[in-house]
Amino acid sequence: MTRHFLRDDDLSPAEQAEVLALAADLKRAPYADRSLAGPRTVAMIFDKQTLRTQASFAAGIAELGGFPMQVDGRLAGIGERESVADVARVLGRQASVVVWRTSGQERIEQLAAHAGVPVVNALTDDFHPCQLLADLQTVQEHLGRLAGVTVTFLGDGCSNMGHSWLLAGATAGMHVRIAAPGGFAPQADVVARAGEIAATTGGSVTLETDPGLAATGSDVLVTDTWVSMGREAESADRLAALAPYRLTEELVALGSTEAIAMHCLPAYRDKEIAAEVIDGPRSVVWDEAENRRHAQKAILAWLLREGGAAS
């Protein structure tokens, strides 16, 4: 059976731990795994702007011995010029894996249904699972553990990062707090699913509107841009509503003595995060950015071993 990575809970707790262990191994020995030797092709489709996603996947695919084939999603006109299903059928015969950075989650699910090869979510409006693998790898590196760690995500809880922290954090046995104002709470179905997972892993899920209360005692404090791609017209209203949730030195000080600050980038200093935080001693942001490569290599290699078709 072909396995895909479309959302964070596509991995069981044991599988997530296995992928993260592989990511750590590949960081220590970048060329030890040659799952894509041949070279086998990985199709990378980008509908949205990208820096870290494109750079980390291209570098990682090359290190695995493969060829990163970049497809301009806007030029291809996926879903307009050709149906998603037809594009999937074409690319599935050209590539061993398809990686897609797009908008609606339903688009990548449709691609996976027809591709016949593993499909990886490189970002949708609802989830950002590859970023979370990198984030979990970073937390593990700096704190030495995941289970029992308390993480607070501040800002737009209904964002892809808010949703992915709920699912991935619960899968890892973490205590996930989402601090967001009214109107920015995560989707109820995602919260419910995260709660189900947490009940089996010893983690927990909490929604909070008070940023100070949410930050108190946290080991990890996380934020993301408040104006995501495609929401620029809402910029003024979003910035006003979310201003109290800015990740500041004062909030970091409320965390545990080992608290670290995270941001998946791009960051807008002194909007969602204070410059003193992202550029300060508690920041692990640049480790996060590097770990995208290692974590994504791990999920690619793992998917190919777990039933990826040979192309």
Side-chain angles (χ1 to χ4, degrees):
M1 181 184 72
T2 302
R3 293 290 300 269
H4 306 288
F5 190 47
L6 308 183
R7 44 186 280 167
D8 307 82
D9 56 345
D10 283 339
L11 298 178
S12 70
E15 290 170 342
Q16 183 195 73
E18 185 180 347
V19 171
L20 290 172
L22 179 56
D25 289 343
L26 291 175
K27 188 170 185 176
R28 287 188 291 267
Y31 307 104
D33 191 304
R34 305 292 286 174
S35 295
L36 291 168
R40 298 167 72 181
T41 297
V42 175
M44 307 186 304
I45 314 171
F46 300 115
D47 294 349
K48 293 191 172 189
Q49 292 172 304
T50 176
L51 169 62
R52 280 153 300 282
T53 298
Q54 180 178 340
S56 57
F57 265 112
I61 290 162
E63 289 181 358
L64 289 172
F67 171 68
M69 178 176 69
Q70 184 175 336
V71 178
D72 186 328
R74 288 165 293 190
L75 186 63
I78 302 171
E80 298 173 1
R81 182 170 174 267
E82 298 189 64
S83 70
V84 173
D86 284 357
V87 170
R89 294 181 181 106
V90 170
L91 290 179
R93 295 184 178 220
Q94 304 292 343
S96 295
V97 183
V98 180
V99 175
W100 197 7
R101 182 179 176 92
T102 190
S103 51
Q105 183 72 14
E106 74 283 352
R107 286 164 62 80
I108 201 164
E109 289 175 356
Q110 188 176 9
L111 188 85
H114 296 280
V117 298
V119 172
V120 175
N121 179 354
L123 176 143
T124 61
D125 293 342
D126 287 342
F127 302 103
H128 201 353
C130 288
Q131 180 66 55
L132 258 292
L133 287 179
D135 286 2
L136 294 179
Q137 181 179 2
T138 305
V139 172
Q140 203 161 42
E141 288 174 351
H142 284 270
L143 302 185
R145 65 197 189 283
L146 291 175
V149 167
T150 298
V151 56
T152 295
F153 180 88
L154 296 129
D156 184 359
C158 199
S159 64
N160 50 20
M161 284 298 292
H163 290 157
S164 278
W165 263 110
L166 281 167
L167 294 181
T171 300
M174 303 173 81
H175 302 294
V176 183
R177 302 172 181 171
I178 303 293
F184 291 85
Q187 294 176 9
D189 61 324
V190 177
V191 176
R193 175 61 182 145
E196 291 173 0
I197 297 169
T200 70
T201 63
S204 64
V205 172
T206 305
L207 304 186
E208 180 59 69
T209 57
D210 185 328
L213 187 60
T216 299
S218 291
D219 305 304
V220 183
L221 295 110
V222 190
T223 192
D224 187 17
T225 179
W226 293 339
V227 185
S228 297
M229 291 171 283
R231 309 197 75 162
E232 290 79 6
E234 306 170 25
S235 178
D237 290 341
R238 293 177 67 82
L239 292 176
L242 293 167
Y245 297 82
R246 177 180 295 114
L247 182 49
T248 62
E249 288 185 298
E250 290 76 16
L251 283 179
V252 173
L254 292 174
S256 67
T257 56
E258 60 182 356
I260 56 177
M262 307 183 78
H263 191 307
C264 68
L265 301 174
Y268 299 92
R269 287 165 172 78
D270 298 323
K271 289 187 177 178
E272 73 275 3
I273 189 167
E276 295 81 6
V277 173
I278 192 171
D279 299 317
R282 299 293 189 97
S283 172
V284 297
V285 167
W286 315 114
D287 292 339
E288 280 181 85
E290 176 190 342
N291 284 342
R292 286 289 297 275
R293 182 169 94 255
H294 311 304
Q296 288 161 183
K297 286 171 65 178
I299 192 63
L300 288 172
W302 187 87
L303 287 170
L304 287 167
R305 286 204 292 267
E306 289 296 309
S311 296

